[in-house]
Amino acid sequence: MVAPSENPPSGSDIGRIDRVLAATAGLDTPVAVVDEAVVEANLDRMAEFASSSGFVLRPHAKTHKSPELAARQISRGATGLTVATVGEAEVFAAAGVSDLFIAYPLWLTENKARRLRAIMDHAEVLLAVDSIAGAARIARHVPGARVVVEVDSGQHRTGVHPQRAGDIGHGAAAAGLEVLGIFTFPGHSYFPGRPVAVAVQEANALAMAAQSLRAVDIDPVIRSGGSTPSVAHADPTVLTEIRPGVYPFNDAQQVELGVCSMSDVALTVVTTVVHLDGNKAVLDAGSKSLGADHPAWTTGVGRLPDYGDARVSALSEHHATVDFTDSADRPELGDRVRLAPNHVCTAVNLADELVIVNRHGTLSRWPVTARGANA
Amino acid sequence: MVAPSENPPSGSDIGRIDRVLAATAGLDTPVAVVDEAVVEANLDRMAEFASSSGFVLRPHAKTHKSPELAARQISRGATGLTVATVGEAEVFAAAGVSDLFIAYPLWLTENKARRLRAIMDHAEVLLAVDSIAGAARIARHVPGARVVVEVDSGQHRTGVHPQRAGDIGHGAAAAGLEVLGIFTFPGHSYFPGRPVAVAVQEANALAMAAQSLRAVDIDPVIRSGGSTPSVAHADPTVLTEIRPGVYPFNDAQQVELGVCSMSDVALTVVTTVVHLDGNKAVLDAGSKSLGADHPAWTTGVGRLPDYGDARVSALSEHHATVDFTDSADRPELGDRVRLAPNHVCTAVNLADELVIVNRHGTLSRWPVTARGANA
């Protein structure tokens, strides 16, 4: 884990922090604010990594839900976007994204199928299957649809055992779908010290699944994986494509996993100290602006980038209780403080728009167009 | 804790459950659905309790964020509403609610003060103070504002020790505010077996704070408390007012605290089984539609009212993993299932609207007008 106090901000970082708080001084708190310079550096770094490693980059748009950010990913070479729901696909297709992968084993109803066909009038859509029954429904409603088989690489959520990829692929092809390969989400990479081992599991699972597909005469052209914590260790001899989501913004979880440093966190919620009592402060942000994600391995419910040793010890809907016992500095009542959410994907989904601070301290706004597009 | 399997649904409950799923069969999942008959019974019960106990009822609107539901609370005798933010107050004032308590120690900026004064053109607003500095800012921006002093009754979030209520009240009065009493939120009632003891702490804290205010010649006319878990035990010899929030809808937490039975849960998220593997099912709802609240004392991350012994063992953004090992029944792939969120306040805040099913199975919609009104 990276303790930010071990990486004190450099002179330019301090300037950046001041700039974000100064630029947003007139806004009511809590407010979700993005430092554009940090986002752009994060986008550049991942695009360069994908390109130099030979991976197709298909970022997961569930993190940002923003056509503006999607455009910046695509302009840097992303092939298209990954989304989780038909609703998200609708938003990004309407925004002109022409290549969408819905990385979710949809159970197609008449209505979702109708919405899907409308999207397909404007964009190439790749779908996911992890059961013969699910594939049959897709084939009935969207004949000839392009699909990949979801494989479980160890997270044990959706997806089949890699050895079953051939069965599912064969069934999907027999139903009339175009089977293009396999994908997995190695979500068990979200644990300290685990990303390298999980990337090995991901590669092994995809290699085994590829073999299983080839055994039924299906060429797994697409072999897709990659989560933000594990992507740096993705195996280019197996994977053709990576689908990281969190990397444009980063968050407290990524810092505590050692995936990035606090200065790489682009999105923070600017909040106000409304209560101060000894070593305890209460900020006016809570689970309704930050999300309540709190895995057992995190050291708190969010982090304060400018007070590295302080910990958010409790979160309720509109209160973040912060313990400053271990912090040399502490804010005063009424001070404004930046708070990095544990999980930026759920935090973004709570905002109607993101406030963007550019290099010159000028504000703009990006609507979170796909906020709430869960169905 | 109430294990729903010990309270099998009665014949009419089964009819009700069928009616909710049947009425919403044409809607894409996940979707937040409210059973109107259950809401009305919950509203009636609390109104009757407040009336028969002699309490003013000022429900917390953070739970429902809905002017439609607020109107039903007020028509049943609620004096006004409690809200957490200026933004929520704006929504309910615009909807015609004329009596609002912002139960939060606001740190007033110029802009929040301007918004507050605009609300005060249409509604009586009561504010909260828990510091002399905060009170001074209110007095500067909103001279003569009506306030109550927040007291800590054991949750250790905001609020002062009851013995300090007089100091804060005296300071607020000296700054020119009209000090009307005291309030507390006994949020530490959210733990199995604790509600009765916490209600005693609440009464003791408010009694002590009342004495402290009287010692500085302030009459604590308002003595306000009450959370949904503890409200049944609120002391009518001390409290004048109760502010429960969750009771119109209830949720899995309230069931596991023994505050209500599963048949009193009015809001469920209707979701589809997208993956089935032995005793494990995955539903297409997750933290982006349910919220991620998961206190250590809960048995899972939400409950399935119609499969009482099943447990939601894990939640990601669009997946709820359910363990059916202990359940006699289990759904099939593609079945639609009702899921009760752990914490309904954060679940409602994720929806743009709630789908209402009335007694006859007819659908209507209530906009969640104050969704996202965090600032």
Side-chain angles (χ1 to χ4, degrees):
Chain A
M1 277 183 238
V2 175
S5 58
E6 296 163 17
N7 299 304
S10 68
S12 66
D13 281 336
I14 290 171
R16 178 172 66 77
I17 291 163
D18 287 350
R19 193 183 66 226
V20 166
L21 287 178
T24 57
L27 302 180
D28 289 340
T29 62
V31 56
V33 179
V34 172
D35 188 324
E36 190 175 33
V38 180
V39 166
E40 298 210 319
N42 293 342
L43 293 175
D44 286 342
R45 201 179 310 119
M46 187 62 76
E48 165 58 23
F49 167 75
S51 165
S52 66
S53 308
F55 292 125
V56 168
L57 175 60
R58 193 192 290 276
H60 208 309
K62 72 185 174 72
T63 301
H64 56 73
K65 292 175 170 280
S66 155
E68 178 66 41
L69 191 39
R72 293 176 190 222
Q73 290 176 316
I74 291 167
S75 75
R76 282 169 172 82
T79 298
L81 295 181
T82 306
V83 296
T85 68
V86 175
E88 287 182 344
E90 286 172 328
V91 167
F92 288 103
V97 178
S98 60
D99 190 333
L100 293 164
F101 171 30
I102 307 180
Y104 196 89
L106 297 175
W107 184 260
L108 276 193
T109 57
E110 290 274 357
N111 198 51
K112 277 201 181 170
R114 189 164 39 75
R115 294 167 57 202
L116 203 49
R117 289 190 299 266
I119 297 166
M120 288 172 167
D121 290 343
H122 305 283
E124 282 239 55
V125 178
L126 180 65
L127 299 177
V129 293
D130 79 346
S131 70
I132 301 282
R137 288 186 76 89
I138 293 176
R140 186 192 323 158
H141 288 297
V142 195
R146 298 157 66 243
V147 300
V148 282
V149 178
E150 184 174 7
V151 169
D152 177 11
S153 53
Q155 187 187 20
H156 306 320
R157 196 173 65 177
T158 48
V160 296
H161 189 279
Q163 289 177 325
R164 290 201 58 225
D167 292 349
I168 305 295
H170 181 74
L177 299 176
E178 186 182 358
V179 181
L180 293 179
I182 47 191
F183 80 105
T184 192
F185 176 66
H188 53 315
S189 63
Y190 278 81
F191 199 89
R194 215 188 263 171
V196 174
V198 166
V200 173
Q201 293 178 357
E202 172 186 54
N204 289 344
L206 289 175
M208 190 184 294
Q211 196 173 15
S212 173
L213 271 190
R214 288 188 191 107
V216 295
D217 291 327
I218 296 172
D219 184 15
V221 179
I222 296 174
R223 301 181 298 277
S224 175
S227 65
T228 294
S230 63
V231 71
H233 315 290
D235 185 343
T237 69
V238 176
L239 281 73
T240 60
E241 174 179 290
I242 53 175
R243 307 186 318 278
V246 172
Y247 76 90
F249 294 146
N250 289 315
D251 54 25
Q253 287 187 157
Q254 301 296 335
V255 173
E256 298 207 337
L257 289 169
V259 172
C260 69
S261 72
M262 198 60 95
S263 60
D264 301 319
V265 174
L267 185 149
T268 52
V269 173
V270 175
T271 176
T272 301
V273 180
V274 294
H275 180 91
L276 199 61
D277 182 12
N279 287 328
K280 183 186 84 171
V282 178
L283 313 177
D284 69 354
S287 59
K288 281 180 172 168
S289 46
L290 301 163
D293 293 69
H294 189 191
W297 52 265
T298 53
T299 65
V301 205
R303 290 283 289 265
L304 278 61
D306 310 322
Y307 301 90
D309 293 315
R311 287 294 180 278
V312 179
S313 55
L315 210 61
S316 41
E317 289 161 63
H318 299 281
H319 305 73
T321 302
V322 186
D323 182 357
F324 284 95
T325 304
D326 295 326
S327 178
D329 294 325
R330 63 194 66 189
E332 297 296 322
L333 193 60
D335 278 359
R336 294 161 76 98
V337 171
R338 302 188 310 142
L339 205 166
N342 263 357
H343 187 190
V344 73
C345 305
T346 51
V348 168
N349 187 50
L350 292 162
D352 288 319
E353 59 181 19
L354 302 175
V355 171
I356 315 301
V357 178
N358 77 5
R359 286 166 208 275
H360 311 292
T362 305
L363 299 186
S364 56
R365 286 160 199 270
W366 293 350
V368 184
T369 314
R371 181 198 54 72
N374 293 312
Chain B
M1 276 184 240
V2 175
S5 58
E6 296 163 17
N7 299 303
S10 68
S12 66
D13 281 337
I14 290 172
R16 178 172 67 77
I17 292 163
D18 286 351
R19 194 184 64 226
V20 166
L21 287 178
T24 57
L27 303 180
D28 288 341
T29 63
V31 56
V33 179
V34 172
D35 188 323
E36 190 176 34
V38 180
V39 165
E40 297 210 318
N42 293 341
L43 292 174
D44 286 343
R45 201 179 310 118
M46 187 63 77
E48 165 59 23
F49 167 74
S51 165
S52 66
S53 307
F55 292 124
V56 168
L57 175 59
R58 194 190 290 275
H60 208 309
K62 73 186 173 71
T63 301
H64 56 73
K65 293 176 171 279
S66 154
E68 178 67 41
L69 191 39
R72 293 177 190 222
Q73 290 176 318
I74 291 167
S75 75
R76 281 169 174 81
T79 298
L81 296 180
T82 306
V83 296
T85 67
V86 175
E88 287 183 343
E90 286 172 328
V91 167
F92 288 103
V97 178
S98 60
D99 190 332
L100 293 164
F101 172 29
I102 307 178
Y104 196 89
L106 297 175
W107 184 261
L108 277 194
T109 56
E110 289 275 355
N111 197 52
K112 278 202 181 169
R114 188 162 39 75
R115 294 167 58 203
L116 203 49
R117 288 190 300 264
I119 296 166
M120 287 172 167
D121 290 343
H122 304 284
E124 283 239 52
V125 178
L126 179 65
L127 300 176
V129 293
D130 79 346
S131 69
I132 302 281
R137 287 185 79 88
I138 294 176
R140 186 192 324 158
H141 288 297
V142 194
R146 299 156 66 243
V147 300
V148 282
V149 178
E150 184 173 10
V151 168
D152 178 11
S153 53
Q155 187 186 18
H156 306 320
R157 196 173 64 178
T158 47
V160 296
H161 189 278
Q163 289 177 325
R164 290 201 56 225
D167 291 348
I168 304 295
H170 181 75
L177 299 176
E178 185 182 359
V179 181
L180 293 179
I182 47 192
F183 80 105
T184 192
F185 176 65
H188 52 315
S189 63
Y190 278 80
F191 199 88
R194 213 188 266 171
V196 174
V198 166
V200 172
Q201 292 177 357
E202 172 186 53
N204 288 345
L206 288 175
M208 190 185 292
Q211 196 173 14
S212 173
L213 272 190
R214 288 189 190 105
V216 294
D217 292 325
I218 296 172
D219 184 15
V221 179
I222 296 174
R223 302 182 296 279
S224 176
S227 65
T228 294
S230 62
V231 70
H233 315 290
D235 185 343
T237 69
V238 176
L239 282 73
T240 60
E241 175 179 290
I242 52 175
R243 306 186 319 277
V246 172
Y247 75 91
F249 294 145
N250 290 314
D251 54 25
Q253 288 187 157
Q254 302 295 335
V255 172
E256 298 207 336
L257 290 169
V259 171
C260 69
S261 72
M262 199 60 94
S263 61
D264 301 319
V265 174
L267 185 149
T268 52
V269 174
V270 175
T271 174
T272 301
V273 180
V274 295
H275 180 90
L276 199 60
D277 182 11
N279 287 328
K280 183 186 84 170
V282 178
L283 313 177
D284 69 353
S287 60
K288 281 181 172 168
S289 47
L290 302 163
D293 294 68
H294 190 192
W297 52 265
T298 53
T299 65
V301 206
R303 290 283 289 266
L304 278 61
D306 310 324
Y307 301 90
D309 293 315
R311 288 294 180 279
V312 179
S313 55
L315 211 60
S316 42
E317 288 161 63
H318 299 280
H319 305 73
T321 303
V322 185
D323 181 357
F324 284 94
T325 304
D326 295 327
S327 179
D329 295 324
R330 65 195 62 188
E332 297 297 322
L333 192 61
D335 278 359
R336 293 161 76 98
V337 171
R338 302 189 310 142
L339 205 167
N342 263 357
H343 187 190
V344 73
C345 304
T346 51
V348 168
N349 187 50
L350 292 162
D352 287 319
E353 59 180 18
L354 302 175
V355 172
I356 315 301
V357 178
N358 78 4
R359 288 166 206 276
H360 312 292
T362 306
L363 300 186
S364 56
R365 286 160 199 270
W366 293 349
V368 185
T369 314
R371 181 199 54 71
N374 294 312

